[in-house]
Amino acid sequence: MANTSAASYPMIGGDGPCSYAHNSSFQRTAVESAQALINEGISENLDVKQLIFSSPSSPNSFSIADLGCSVGLNTLIAVQNIIESVKFKCQADDLCSEAVEFQVFFNDHVSNDFNTLFKSLPCDGQYFAAAVPGSFHGRLFPKASLHFAHSSYSLQWLSRVPKELLDKESPAWNKGRIFYIGAPSEVFEAYSDQFAKDMESFLNSRAQELVNGGLMALIIPCYPVGIPPSQCPMIVIIALLEATLMDMVNMGLVGEDKVDSFNLPKYYPTPQELRSLIDRNGCFSIKKMKPLVRNRGPVNESKIQDPILPLRTALEGPIKRHFGSKIIDELFDRYKKKFLESPIFSQVNKNQVQEMFVLLKREVA
């Protein structure tokens, strides 16, 4: 059964100017940059003869899941690349790729705009498509039913805000802040512990769902070791949002208690932390784990008519859920001004976000 109990923070759906479909080129570049690594991973690690042509339960079929698919072209690009890589592997092994039937499952929270996504599906009939709503931190599929799982720019979102952050009696009470940067160590530890729990649940669920020998490709933004928080764009961006909210508190536009009870459910692990969690879980072998080298530099938001739109697309969901919709436009107008005045605006082209590409193989002892 799908686990739908986790907090749901979908990206903005539809096809409008604030939609994820029109404001996710940064994430798309990561997906495109990982294509060659996925091709290589499938070529070297996927036994198509055993998994596809010798399977007694589902002969000649191959099942793919994109976890945290959202809407727009990104998920379609990733899926198409996986399919083409599997076909090429079949041909390289002198197997008939045309005989393979592909089933693709698009997963995201129940409030995701699957209608817009499915309107964008290719019409060439290369695969059967289905939506699977629910949190990927729990089980979504029957045992041993998937051959390949993919997730890009999704695992940094936590399943829930650590409860300690909202307890006024706890040393982790995060008063006046919305994130863990600049907060007491207890706040950071609460975030880190929640991420560890989420990763364990995620990996355990996928271990049940992937066939023995199945693969999983992940793209996860990580906090680069050795770079101060003040020089890390993904951290400064959240600090500026926090400062904007506190400005609105001081102006009487937002209640202080509302900010005190709001925390962004995001966490950026270090690459070493991520590897340690995967190793500790023990359900997968790491076939490749390396920083993702982008085909192009990160998107220069100064070339976008409204540089705040990609950030609004990503952050509006949890903010609107907590504060309501009345403050949204003014909040992001003020946020945009603060963002443009910040030195970080001229630094968004600097590669100071360490995106890790991870290829895992399910291997049962």
Side-chain angles (χ1 to χ4, degrees), residues 62-362:
F62 192 88
S63 296
I64 301 165
D66 190 30
L67 306 166
C69 63
S70 193
V71 295
L73 291 177
N74 296 5
T75 184
L76 305 182
I77 292 170
V79 163
Q80 189 63 39
N81 180 58
I82 294 166
I83 290 174
E84 291 175 358
S85 298
V86 172
K87 287 183 175 181
F88 184 81
K89 173 65 172 176
C90 290
Q91 294 165 3
D93 290 355
D94 295 323
L95 299 169
C96 181
S97 63
E98 299 303 318
V100 183
E101 292 188 318
F102 291 93
Q103 170 76 65
V104 178
F105 299 101
F106 295 95
N107 158 259
D108 214 311
H109 284 293
V110 295
S111 49
N112 186 58
D113 188 0
F114 287 105
N115 287 334
T116 294
L117 172 60
F118 275 69
K119 288 177 183 177
S120 305
L121 289 178
C123 301
D124 54 13
Q126 284 197 46
Y127 54 85
F128 299 96
V132 181
S135 169
F136 56 50
H137 291 109
R139 286 285 303 279
L140 292 164
F141 305 97
K143 289 184 179 180
S145 61
L146 297 178
H147 298 93
F148 199 105
H150 175 273
S151 185
S152 174
Y153 263 84
S154 296
L155 285 168
Q156 75 273 18
W157 288 99
L158 299 177
S159 65
R160 56 182 52 82
V161 172
K163 61 182 183 301
E164 304 96 309
L165 306 185
L166 306 178
D167 182 0
K168 293 183 179 181
E169 305 302 320
S170 169
W173 183 38
N174 206 21
K175 178 177 172 57
R177 287 177 292 267
I178 66 170
F179 205 48
Y180 55 84
I181 298 302
S185 60
E186 291 85 357
V187 174
F188 174 81
E189 290 167 5
Y191 269 96
S192 178
D193 289 347
Q194 185 63 54
F195 180 78
K197 293 174 184 175
D198 286 351
M199 278 299 297
E200 182 73 6
S201 297
F202 176 85
L203 293 171
N204 284 340
S205 297
R206 303 297 82 78
Q208 293 269 343
E209 298 164 352
L210 279 161
V211 299
N212 188 23
L215 299 178
M216 180 159 59
L218 309 173
I219 301 174
I220 306 176
C222 291
Y223 181 80
V225 176
I227 294 181
S230 61
Q231 296 179 22
C232 185
M234 62 187 183
I235 299 299
V236 175
I237 282 169
I238 296 176
L240 292 173
L241 176 63
E242 179 183 287
T244 304
L245 281 168
M246 291 310 298
D247 287 348
M248 294 180 72
V249 167
N250 294 332
M251 296 175 67
L253 300 175
V254 176
E256 184 177 3
D257 60 329
K258 292 294 287 185
V259 175
D260 289 345
S261 59
F262 176 70
N263 294 275
L264 271 178
K266 297 184 79 172
Y267 180 78
Y268 299 107
T270 65
Q272 295 87 339
E273 184 180 8
L274 181 60
R275 176 181 286 274
S276 175
L277 292 172
I278 296 170
D279 286 339
R280 188 175 73 184
N281 174 263
C283 294
F284 295 89
S285 59
I286 300 176
K287 294 301 179 183
K288 189 179 293 292
M289 183 171 179
K290 60 182 296 185
L292 187 64
V293 178
R294 286 176 167 254
N295 296 336
R296 303 182 295 275
V299 177
N300 186 346
E301 303 293 0
S302 65
K303 296 180 181 179
I304 300 176
Q305 185 175 2
D306 188 346
I308 216 68
L309 276 180
L311 302 174
R312 177 169 179 170
T313 298
L315 299 173
E316 181 176 308
I319 293 172
K320 182 183 289 187
R321 189 184 185 103
H322 184 82
F323 292 95
S325 59
K326 289 184 179 180
I327 74 162
I328 294 298
D329 288 338
E330 182 169 0
L331 170 64
F332 281 99
D333 285 344
R334 293 177 178 276
Y335 182 35
K336 178 181 177 180
K337 182 178 179 181
K338 196 176 288 289
F339 180 81
L340 294 176
E341 292 173 349
S342 169
I344 200 66
F345 182 65
S346 62
Q347 297 174 3
V348 291
N349 246 353
K350 295 182 179 180
N351 194 17
Q352 292 172 318
V353 177
Q354 190 163 32
E355 300 156 304
M356 296 303 296
F357 173 83
V358 185
L359 183 69
L360 304 177
K361 186 171 185 177
R362 176 67 173 129

